[in-house]
Each structure stands twice: as C-alpha cells, then as structure tokens.
Amino acid sequence: DGGITQSPKYLFRKEGQNVTLSCEQNLNHDAMYWYRQDPGQGLRLIYYSQIVNDFQKGDIAEGYSVSREKKESFPLTVTSAQKNPTAFYLCASSNRETQYFGPGTRLLVL
Amino acid sequence: QQPVQSPQAVILREGEDAVINCSSSKALYSVHWYRQKHGEAPVFLMILLKGGEQKGHDKISASFNEKKQQSSLYLTASQLSYSGTYFCGTEPPGGTSYGKLTFGQGTILTVHP
C-alpha cells in the first residue's frame, strides 16, 4: 500500500534535548513538507523540500532543522532552541496536484 | 498570505446544510479542501482548478469563483461523520510545480444527532 508513515505517534522531550521525528513516503512524490498544528490553529509550514538534497524554510523554521538525503525520507529535528515545541506535527508529500498527509506525531514536553 | 475561512465554527443537526467560505486577498490558481478529524491527519476532499468550477463528492460539493478569489464548500443533508475541521489550501496563479499550499485557519463543523 502506498502512503506516508510518521513515527513515533507520541514523543516526549526533556528540556534541552533534541528530538527527531521520522517521515517516510512510498508514493514517489518529489515534494515533502512539515507542518506544525497547535490546538485550534491551522497548519503552519515549518520546512519543505522539492527535491533530494534541497529544502527551504517555511513560515516558522526557527528551532527546527531537516534533511533530505533520500526521496522517500524527510526527518524533522526539533532542537533545544525551540522553546515551545508542544504541538501536533504533520508531514505531507505532494504530486503536482495536491498534498497527502501522514498520521502525525504529537510532541509533548516533560 | 493566509486565506481567511468563515465561519470559524458551525453547529448543525443531522440533515441540515452548511456552507464554508475561503477567501484570499491574492489571485488564486487553485483551491484544495481537506477535512481533519480530531487527532488525525487532514484528508483530501477535492481540488478546484478553474475559475467558476464546481465539483461534487457525495453530498459535499464546492465552487471556485476566480474573480472574487474565493471558494465555498457546501455540505448538504449533513451526517454525523461530517464533523471535523475543514481547511482550504490555496495556490497562487501559475500554480507551483510541487504543490505547495497556503492553508486557512480552519472551520470547526459539529453535527449533532
């Protein structure tokens, strides 16, 4: 089955710790995206990548980093510089028509 | 710039109709509609590519007025399963070669028995 997987489903971060959220897709899509969603809020773009080894900052990139070493994978690292990381993180990929989303990772701070 | 959705929330009884609007201050190439259940990923509903285009999907349909830079989502004879948050995503003129969208803030739809 084709789709987008994200892991883990829940992630706990201690203060000062970097954590990495996984996103994998087998849809053969070139573009991939990371969004942050806060309660009652829309989708805010963190980073996106159009092609392997290339990525651009979105609207709220501070405190986050990404890599795109493979077409299928677009991991997001939430660094210690992100002071308010508690949120629902969604990964998406797109063909030339629209975006398809993964199931999300909920990040909580201990 | 983020498109604006209205209303922010709507409460319905089963069988009632609703309209959700998505307006942009900039010209649009396409509008994409998604529904998100609580704690789940947004699910793609439909895409409208041409000005004046209307599309239907079961009892959910949408229109796109290119001149007014807005789209409306119509939910008729609502069912309990329609509950969720509805988002519109927009593309600027010329589109993008990779599907980058700007999303509205969402409209919360609640359907009661």
Side-chain angles (χ1 to χ4, degrees):
Chain A
D1 285 338
I4 303 172
T5 57
Q6 290 185 241
S7 62
K9 188 172 182 179
Y10 296 96
L11 186 58
F12 298 91
R13 192 191 92 162
K14 295 180 182 178
E15 197 168 335
Q17 186 183 38
N18 291 354
V19 292
T20 297
L21 285 62
S22 169
C23 177
E24 304 276 333
Q25 55 100 359
N26 60 5
L27 299 169
N28 199 34
H29 288 168
D30 287 317
M32 297 186 74
Y33 310 80
W34 274 106
Y35 293 93
R36 170 179 171 143
Q37 189 175 34
D38 295 280
Q41 301 284 319
L43 302 168
R44 293 190 289 169
L45 183 64
I46 304 172
Y47 269 98
Y48 64 101
S49 168
Q50 302 172 48
I51 198 167
V52 174
N53 293 323
D54 187 51
F55 48 83
Q56 286 79 40
K57 293 182 178 180
D59 301 317
I60 56 165
E62 187 174 349
Y64 301 96
S65 66
V66 293
S67 63
R68 187 86 186 275
E69 296 177 0
K70 297 187 300 182
K71 186 175 185 177
E72 302 79 21
S73 179
F74 191 40
L76 173 75
T77 297
V78 183
T79 73
S80 56
Q82 173 51 245
K83 297 305 179 187
N84 184 22
T86 297
F88 189 47
Y89 290 87
L90 286 161
C91 176
S93 69
S94 69
N95 53 23
R96 295 182 185 278
E97 288 195 349
T98 196
Q99 292 186 20
Y100 299 91
F101 287 85
T105 293
R106 191 166 298 280
L107 178 61
L108 300 165
V109 177
L110 294 176
Chain B
Q1 193 167 355
Q2 185 182 36
V4 177
Q5 290 185 230
S6 63
Q8 288 187 322
V10 59
I11 299 174
L12 299 173
R13 294 276 180 201
E14 253 186 311
E16 292 181 336
D17 303 338
V19 180
I20 300 171
N21 300 303
C22 174
S23 296
S24 174
S25 59
K26 297 184 176 181
L28 300 176
Y29 169 72
S30 69
V31 180
H32 308 228
W33 285 98
Y34 292 81
R35 175 172 61 209
Q36 184 182 29
K37 302 279 188 179
H38 183 68
E40 299 179 8
V43 173
F44 173 69
L45 293 176
M46 64 186 77
I47 177 177
L48 298 111
L49 289 170
K50 299 176 183 177
E53 184 181 25
Q54 284 196 294
K55 273 197 167 182
H57 181 53
D58 225 356
K59 292 179 182 176
I60 300 175
S61 61
S63 64
F64 176 26
N65 188 319
E66 195 176 359
K67 286 185 179 179
K68 293 186 177 180
Q69 295 165 190
Q70 68 184 35
S71 176
S72 295
L73 186 71
Y74 306 94
L75 300 105
T76 58
S78 59
Q79 305 167 18
L80 295 176
S81 62
Y82 286 3
S83 293
T85 302
Y86 289 78
F87 292 98
C88 66
T90 59
E91 270 188 295
T96 65
S97 61
Y98 47 89
K100 182 172 176 283
L101 301 175
T102 303
F103 288 92
Q105 82 280 15
T107 295
I108 301 172
L109 181 78
T110 306
V111 181
H112 290 297

